[in-house]
DNA sequence: AACAAGTCCAACCGCTCTATT
DNA sequence: GAATAGAGCGGTTGGACTTGT
């Protein structure tokens, strides 16, 4: 880029290059009064650097300035070389294969851009990072899942394999250990989910929003204050994860389900797909009938045929977006939450970390369900007592940090992993969605644009927006799941534990037959008017 | 055509890790 | 073992570019 720099023929130092002070790597030069240049590189500088590397090879970057006359710090030289000058760099847009690989790698590694770049010859970590960040923003705006379902499923399987192999470590340890394998899939087994996998392959994704303490954090934050708008967006995304704790049936600390019932503000419910004005649509519509009614909020030129954004539906209900924005500003709550400061891989943005946590929760739920309906005073000891694997206890302790493992926004993760609000009990029927009291379900068609094998025919789903849009990806890919909503119900019940699970199943299977397909969002909170009656929402 | 909003991306910054002294 | 330097990584920023109104 040569946007602002005056490019001189010698290219080494132009008149606007000496304004910035030396940074930390200019130490040697600082003593000699040499001011290093910052900002865009000129072609002459590039040439000097290339020439230098040809002669001396890579590395020892701080020597570049000394030996080549280039007024750049070593760090800058390294970056320039690595990102732009080194041979075999691939320029231009990512190919479809690369995009898919990036997503797969991110599902496994999280924001480990450098390691991801190692899997993409010719691509730089910066490039991948930029791509991912823009993609995240896009998809979050659109309320779409970041990962395709099979990635989550694959991650689960890999994690199970690792567990079988006896690789079992806690926090950072397992992280590092797994790095050696090129993957960072935690050795996690979802005990409570194993039994369901044959019929519910995507259940493991549900725990994405199960970070137990997130409930308190999220709720607390709703009542307290939002993050200052000055907070960086990425940070807000990270902090936002706790908001989805409400999904967790196993509640840590003193927060009770009743509390949630009484106190949960609309903003909490909305991302769950509970709060949107949902209107039953009695008139079965064919996908065609919607024609162009589905408004796509995707920027032009950004959702090309090869764009990963086509994973999910491209329909992006605005309310959800607003919700996302609101939620990502929510700070970590204080008070009842165990705010351990201990760093945890759960902040790494790893999908596997979520799975890991989910497993822990699953263990906990299996044994604490009898107590949890009214009281959330489940202690690690309680969990350990009934946990089938010691890992549960250990990891619970290790993960005293209630923060989510994810580096993504809560909404996005919820979107990724929660088949909420799937409409009607089957695609074939496309029955109007009946919902809980006070809520109207508005069915809208969602055009499925993405499938693992891209050539696959697309499917139009009627889902209750907005979160249903997110679920549609999985619905499409698991016909059994789609056709038999009880699968989902059972799975969610399993996740919720005995008490909440049975309650959930009762509500789902009993009171509202047609709402089965709605999943947790529409059913489990059936009796939560404070949450559900959102008819005033846009 | 002008402006605003959104997007992209190169580069910087701060931090951590590792090797060396 | 402590201090220091170098290298690398991930997060963030700022400005050019693109698109929409």
């Amino acid at each position: 880029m040569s946007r602002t720099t005056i490019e001189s023929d010698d290219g080494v130092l132009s008149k606007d290059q000496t304004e910035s002070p030396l940074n930390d790597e200019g130490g040697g030069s600082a003593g000699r009064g040499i001011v290093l240049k910052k900002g865009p590189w000129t072609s002459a500088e590039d040439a000097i650097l290339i020439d230098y590397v040809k002669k001396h090879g890579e590395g020892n970057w701080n020597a570049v300035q000394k030996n080549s006359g280039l007024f750049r710090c070593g760090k800058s030289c390294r970056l320039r070389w690595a990102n732009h000058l080194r041979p075999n760099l691939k320029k231009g847009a990512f190919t479809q294969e690369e995009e898919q690989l990036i997503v797969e790698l991110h599902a496994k590694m999280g924001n480990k851009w450098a390691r991801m770049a190692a899997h993409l010859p010719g691509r730089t970590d910066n490039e991948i990072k930029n791509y991912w960040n823009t993609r995240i923003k896009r998809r979050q705006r659109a309320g779409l899942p970041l990962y395709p379902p099979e990635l989550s499923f694959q991650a689960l399987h890999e994690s199970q394999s690792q567990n079988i192999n006896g690789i079992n470590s806690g926090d950072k340890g397992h992280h590092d250990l797994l790095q050696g394998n090129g993957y960072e899939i935690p050795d996690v087994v979802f005990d409570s989910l194993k039994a369901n996998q044959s019929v519910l392959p995507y259940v493991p994704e549900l725990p994405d929003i199960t970070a137990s303490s997130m409930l308190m954090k999220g709720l607390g934050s709703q009542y307290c204050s939002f993050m200052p708008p000055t907070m960086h967006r990425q940070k807000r995304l990270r902090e936002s994860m706790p908001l989805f704790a409400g999904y967790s049936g196993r509640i840590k600390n003193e927060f009770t389900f009743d509390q949630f019932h009484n106190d949960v503000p609309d903003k909490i419910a909305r991302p769950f797909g509970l709060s949107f004005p949902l209107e039953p649509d009695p008139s079965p519509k064919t996908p065609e009938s919607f024609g162009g009614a589905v408004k796509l909020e995707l920027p032009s030129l950004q959702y090309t045929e090869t764009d990963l954004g086509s994973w999910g539906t491209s329909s992006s209900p605005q309310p959800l977006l607003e919700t996302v924005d609101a939620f990502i500003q929510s700070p970590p709550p204080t008070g009842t939450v165990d705010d351990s400061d201990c760093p945890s891989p759960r902040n790494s943005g790893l999908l596997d970390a979520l799975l890991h946590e989910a497993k822990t929760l699953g263990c906990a739920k299996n044994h604490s369900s009898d107590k949890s309906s009214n009281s959330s005073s489940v202690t690690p000891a309680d969990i350990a007592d009934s946990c089938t694997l010691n890992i549960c206890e250990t990891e619970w302790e290790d993960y005293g940090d209630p923060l989510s493992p994810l580096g993504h926004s809560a909404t996005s993760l919820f979107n990724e992993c929660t088949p909420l609000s799937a409409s009607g009990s089957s695609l074939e029927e496309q029955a109007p969605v009946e919902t809980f009291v006070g809520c109207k379900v508005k069915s809208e068609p969602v055009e499925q644009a993405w499938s693992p094998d891209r050539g696959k025919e697309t499917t139009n789903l009627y889902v209750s927006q907005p979160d249903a849009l997110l679920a549609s990806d999985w619905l499409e890919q698991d016909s059994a799941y789609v056709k038999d909503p009880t699968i989902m119900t059972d799975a969610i019940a399993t996740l919720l534990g005995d008490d909440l699970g049975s309650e959930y199943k009762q509500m789902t299977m009993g009171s509202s037959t047609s709402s089965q397909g709605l999943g947790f969002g529409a059913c489990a909170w059936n009796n939560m008017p404070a949450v559900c009656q959102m008819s005033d929402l846009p």
Side-chain angles (χ1 to χ4, degrees), chain A residues 367-476:
Chain A
H367 311 284
S368 63
S369 57
D370 287 342
K371 324 171 191 176
S372 61
S373 63
N374 242 350
S375 168
S376 59
S377 56
V378 179
T379 66
D382 294 331
I383 300 162
D385 287 343
S386 50
C387 198
T388 56
L389 290 180
N390 290 337
I391 182 176
C392 292
E393 176 185 4
T394 301
E395 291 172 355
W396 190 276
E397 297 283 349
D398 290 345
Y399 286 173
D401 179 5
L403 290 176
S404 156
L406 299 181
H408 313 305
S409 82
T411 302
S412 70
L413 286 162
F414 193 78
N415 293 347
E416 294 167 26
C417 308
T418 311
L420 280 182
S421 310
S423 70
S425 54
S426 78
L427 289 175
E428 293 78 9
E429 295 173 359
Q430 293 180 347
V433 177
E434 173 187 337
T435 67
F436 32 83
V437 178
C439 289
K440 297 176 180 179
V441 174
K442 185 175 185 177
S443 297
E444 294 193 5
V446 176
E447 190 139 3
Q448 294 299 291
W450 184 90
S451 61
D453 43 342
R454 222 166 253 265
K456 220 162 105 181
E457 70 173 10
T458 59
T459 304
N460 289 312
L461 297 176
Y462 289 86
V463 296
S464 51
Q465 69 160 298
D467 295 73
L469 303 180
L470 313 170
S472 58
D473 285 345
W474 304 301
L475 293 176
E476 178 192 11

Side-chain angles (χ1 to χ4, degrees), chain A residues 154-166:
Chain A
Q154 178 187 357
L156 172 73
H157 275 287
E158 293 184 20
S159 67
Q160 288 177 334
S161 300
Q162 301 241 356
N163 192 61
I164 290 171
N165 290 336

